[in-house]
């Protein structure tokens, strides 16, 4: 049986731009899939297709057990969506925005007001609850938009870079909300440029580039693909770099053959892949000390998702400037040129 979110062979082009080139996804119920990729990789287009906002050229998608192409209205009843940009009515207060969303979901007026109070407190907006949203800062609008996506508790949630623009405290607060939702059985597809966010929240991670899923696995599985541990040393004196390099080379993962040691002359930092953990680190420290090499810093570093991202896509993840995403721009162009929103008549 397909998971709560399932996609097979999704293809979408905008003129000469192929935003999606055969995307396959399967997200089990009650789990979080982190969708990572450089700007323009196809993340937002994937979300737009799965949330019925965009019709693919080919492929199949099922959300909450419902075919996205055949029954889009039914899909919309089962999902929540927080897009890249805050979608709130700036002339309504924060409280009115959330109450309105609740009533659109056919909640009673009393329940909608009660839920709005809960969410305003949860997202640290209670003090501004009765101010028009147009007086909110960008971060406050983002939090209000996220609160609106959570007025009801849908079985499937889509969050497209939800913490962009949030300060660390509010980002942490949203992480707590997401973990509570998932603990309660919600399935979440999360796109993010904050790799620590995917590391913290995602049960599984899919890396997208040029409209294709190029890697899939848990955070640990993806990290293992980039290699093992490495020791990083910053020597105090630049003229001892060569000596330190010789010592590190002998301790590298190659063992028996000189290991490659990366050297940054400017920072005086040397990096070597190793296997042996903390015990080997202690040996390296002893050998450097025995050779009279003074060090400013030394540590055992394990691969991060940043390393994975660079290894798979050729560059680090880009934070911010999400409005320059190729897929977001292509999607906006499509909305301006044609009516791409699905309707029940297309079933």
């Amino acid at each position: 049986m397909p998971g709560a979110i399932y996609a097979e062979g999704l293809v979408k082009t905008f003129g000469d731009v192929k935003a999606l080139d055969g995307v396959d996804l399967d997200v089990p119920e009650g789990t979080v899939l982190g969708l990572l990729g450089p700007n323009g990789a196809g993340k937002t287009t994937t979300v737009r297709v799965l949330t019925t906002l965009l019709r693919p050229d080919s492929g199949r998608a099922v959300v909450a057990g419902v075919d996205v192409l055949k029954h889009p209205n039914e899909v919309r009843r089962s999902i929540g969506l927080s897009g890249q940009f805050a979608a709130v009515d700036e002339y309504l207060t924060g409280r009115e925005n959330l109450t309105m969303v609740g009533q659109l979901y056919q909640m009673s007026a009393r329940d909608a007001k009660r839920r709005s109070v809960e969410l305003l407190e949860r997202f640290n907006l209670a003090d501004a609850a009765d101010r028009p949203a147009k007086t909110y800062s960008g971060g406050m609008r983002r939090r209000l938009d996220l609160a609106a996506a959570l007025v009801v508790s849908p079985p499937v949630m889509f969050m497209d870079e939800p913490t962009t623009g949030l300060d660390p405290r509010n980002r942490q607060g949203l992480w707590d909300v997401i973990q509570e939702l998932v603990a309660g059985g919600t399935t979440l597809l999360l796109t993010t440029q904050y790799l620590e966010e995917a590391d913290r929240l995602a049960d599984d991670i899919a890396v997208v580039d040029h409209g294709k899923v190029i890697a899939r696995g848990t955070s640990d599985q993806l990290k293992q693909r980039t290699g093992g541990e490495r020791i990083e040393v910053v020597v105090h004196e630049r003229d001892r770099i060569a000596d330190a390099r010789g010592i590190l080379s002998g301790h590298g993962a190659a063992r028996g053959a000189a290991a490659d040691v990366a050297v940054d002359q400017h920072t005086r930092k040397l990096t070597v892949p190793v296997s042996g953990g903390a015990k080997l680190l202690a040996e390296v420290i002893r050998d450097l000390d025995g050779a009279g090499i003074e060090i400013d810093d030394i540590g055992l570093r394990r691969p991060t998702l940043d390393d994975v991202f660079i290894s798979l896509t050729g560059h680090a993840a880009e934070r911010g400037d999400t409005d320059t995403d190729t897929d977001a721009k292509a999607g906006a162009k499509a909305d301006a040129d044609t009516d791409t929103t699905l309707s029940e008549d297309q079933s």
Side-chain angles (χ1 to χ4, degrees):
M1 285 286 292
I5 303 172
Y6 177 79
E8 181 180 0
L10 293 181
V11 173
K12 183 64 184 177
T13 58
F14 301 100
D16 296 332
V17 177
K18 181 166 276 191
L20 301 181
D21 190 14
V23 168
D24 297 325
L25 295 173
D26 193 356
V27 188
E29 185 176 343
T31 66
V32 179
L33 174 69
L35 201 60
L36 306 183
N39 285 345
K43 304 183 302 297
T44 295
T45 301
T46 299
V47 170
R48 289 167 64 85
V49 168
L50 294 172
T51 55
T52 78
L53 298 177
L54 196 62
R55 189 176 184 85
D57 299 330
S58 62
R60 176 172 176 249
V62 176
V63 173
V66 181
D67 190 296
V68 172
L69 301 182
K70 293 181 179 178
H71 305 292
N73 286 343
E74 192 174 337
V75 170
R76 293 175 195 135
R77 298 187 189 103
S78 302
I79 65 173
L81 169 64
S82 176
Q84 280 191 6
F85 308 104
V88 298
D89 189 321
E90 63 179 15
Y91 292 101
L92 297 181
T93 66
R95 189 189 311 277
E96 289 168 342
N97 265 284
L98 298 184
T99 301
M100 175 185 69
V101 171
Q103 291 184 294
L104 288 173
Y105 273 103
Q106 299 183 343
M107 296 173 67
S108 69
R110 176 180 295 180
D111 287 344
K113 289 178 181 177
R114 177 184 53 78
R115 182 59 173 158
S116 70
V117 170
E118 293 173 358
L119 290 168
L120 289 165
E121 290 282 353
R122 189 59 189 267
F123 284 89
N124 299 314
L125 292 169
D127 291 344
D130 297 311
R131 281 170 39 196
K134 65 181 179 180
T135 68
Y136 286 15
S137 68
M140 292 171 69
R141 290 191 189 199
R142 187 62 175 147
R143 279 146 51 199
L144 182 61
D145 180 69
L146 291 165
L150 299 173
V151 168
V152 295
S153 299
V156 180
M157 278 288 301
F158 294 87
M159 291 188 174
D160 195 3
E161 303 192 15
T163 59
T164 297
L166 297 187
D167 60 41
R169 181 171 69 105
N170 285 303
R171 182 176 297 128
Q172 178 67 53
L174 179 61
W175 289 356
D176 293 340
V177 170
I178 288 174
Q179 289 175 322
E180 289 176 11
L181 283 171
V182 176
T186 298
T187 304
L188 173 64
L189 189 149
L190 169 78
T191 80
T192 180
Q193 296 285 11
Y194 296 101
L195 301 185
E196 68 272 21
E197 188 164 271
D199 216 350
R200 165 79 176 269
L201 298 174
D203 299 291
D204 212 8
I205 294 170
V207 181
V208 181
D209 200 15
H210 299 295
K212 297 180 179 180
V213 176
I214 60 173
R216 176 79 185 259
T218 66
S219 177
D220 287 341
Q221 288 170 342
L222 291 177
K223 289 174 185 177
Q224 289 171 6
R225 292 182 56 165
T226 67
E229 303 165 325
R230 63 203 70 184
I231 287 178
E232 293 183 346
V233 179
V234 178
V235 300
H236 184 68
E237 298 173 342
R238 197 177 305 278
D239 59 6
R240 299 304 306 272
I241 288 177
D243 297 330
R245 182 174 188 172
I247 291 173
L248 291 175
S249 180
H251 284 286
R255 294 280 185 172
D260 289 333
V261 180
V263 178
D264 186 327
Q265 292 285 344
H266 178 69
T267 61
R268 307 184 309 283
K269 183 169 76 173
L270 299 90
T271 305
V272 62
V274 298
S275 58
K279 182 179 179 180
L280 180 63
L281 179 62
E283 292 178 18
V284 171
I285 293 172
R286 284 195 297 269
D287 288 351
L288 290 170
D289 185 58
I293 300 173
E294 188 177 352
I295 60 175
D296 291 340
D297 192 21
I298 187 169
L300 181 69
R301 180 169 174 257
R302 292 178 171 83
T304 66
L305 280 180
D306 271 306
D307 297 320
V308 173
F309 203 95
I310 292 170
S311 173
L312 292 171
T313 68
H315 55 82
E318 301 169 43
R319 289 169 172 78
D321 295 321
T322 54
D323 56 333
T324 62
D325 264 2
T326 300
D327 52 7
K329 290 167 74 177
K333 181 179 185 300
D335 286 345
D337 292 346
T338 61
D339 180 11
T340 57
T341 302
L342 303 181
S343 68
E344 202 72 48
D345 293 338
Q346 293 172 312
S347 61

